[in-house]
Amino acid sequence: MPQGKPETVPDDGLTTKQRRNRPLLIVHTGAMKGKSTAAFGMALRGWNQGWSIGVYQFVKSAKWRVGEEAAFLALGRLHEQTGEGGEVAWQKMGEGWSWIQRGDPEDHAANAREGWAQIKRDLAAERFGMYVLDEFTYPIKWGWIDVADVVATLTQRPGHQHVVITGRDAHPDLVDAADLVVEMTKIKHPMDAGQKGQRGIEW
């Protein structure tokens, strides 16, 4: 899109403004870090536009405090006090670390299914302007949540609700349904040189 202009204009009967303001289904996938970071950057922009923000984390421990959570909850408090920005809700769907085998996998699956059911209820109620479904590709990949249900729900969602999904190995059906898909590809990473994650960069 040179200079931010689309190369083609579809014959869809929409005005330029209507087409520009369509709600988007966005997928950030790929093996490299930055998928959630980019999604939260979009959510920050949305909050600045006055949108309400709903974050649903699927495979991060409920005990893990990420920097974005603290920042967005502070923005939510600012909204409550001043009216600036929008409402913020941050929900964690239990534990489900893909690389830590603890607890009953079926409990994690049940948590993920209930999380998806809550998202469906919130979409039907048009509760948020932007949804971040963080690491949502994993419960789909593991068969905990039906991808056909996800695609049907998200493509038929009412109103003006943006949805951003993050995680590796996005299902091809989800990729096909999305309006915007980015794949994070590694060129270099500090871990290649033996450096572990650090505060302010990874969390």
Side-chain angles (χ1 to χ4, degrees):
M1 295 194 317
Q3 299 179 352
K5 297 179 181 178
E7 295 178 356
T8 60
V9 177
D11 185 16
D12 53 14
L14 299 177
T15 66
T16 300
K17 183 177 181 180
Q18 288 172 327
R19 195 177 303 113
R20 165 182 274 180
N21 292 323
R22 286 187 310 117
L24 299 179
L25 173 56
I26 301 165
V27 174
H28 294 175
T29 193
M32 183 57 167
K33 76 184 300 305
K35 298 179 287 293
S36 297
T37 304
F40 292 135
M42 281 189 170
L44 187 62
R45 289 176 173 175
W47 182 89
N48 187 59
Q49 295 297 324
W51 300 348
S52 53
I53 307 296
V55 178
Y56 305 78
Q57 291 192 297
F58 276 86
V59 295
K60 288 186 170 69
S61 169
K63 300 175 183 176
W64 191 31
R65 303 302 177 195
V66 296
E68 292 95 343
E69 178 183 4
F72 272 96
L73 291 179
L75 290 175
R77 291 192 297 272
L78 179 63
H79 171 70
E80 292 173 1
Q81 294 165 4
T82 68
E84 186 175 353
E87 173 197 359
V88 175
W90 194 289
Q91 304 181 57
K92 296 184 180 181
M93 305 309 163
E95 291 187 286
W97 289 81
S98 57
W99 58 92
I100 296 179
Q101 300 301 318
R102 66 185 178 203
D104 186 343
E106 183 51 38
D107 289 343
H108 299 326
N111 286 337
R113 286 191 291 268
E114 174 51 34
W116 171 235
Q118 182 61 53
I119 291 166
K120 291 175 72 172
R121 290 190 290 268
D122 290 342
L123 285 166
E126 300 182 43
R127 182 177 176 192
F128 300 109
M130 176 173 281
Y131 298 70
V132 177
L133 313 189
D134 192 33
E135 313 288 8
F136 188 53
T137 60
Y138 295 102
I140 296 174
K141 177 183 178 180
W142 297 331
W144 296 351
I145 297 173
D146 179 40
V147 68
D149 183 36
V150 171
V151 169
T153 300
L154 295 182
T155 55
Q156 297 169 23
R157 67 194 186 279
H160 194 275
Q161 303 180 94
H162 297 287
V163 179
V164 188
I165 295 172
T166 74
R168 298 185 182 200
D169 304 319
H171 194 285
D173 292 350
L174 182 61
V175 170
D176 287 344
D179 302 292
L180 190 164
V181 181
V182 63
E183 182 173 7
M184 302 291 188
T185 303
K186 187 181 81 168
I187 305 300
K188 294 178 70 175
H189 193 291
M191 290 186 72
D192 298 336
Q195 181 175 332
K196 291 187 176 182
Q198 61 175 296
R199 186 175 304 176
I201 304 297
E202 269 73 36
W203 71 89

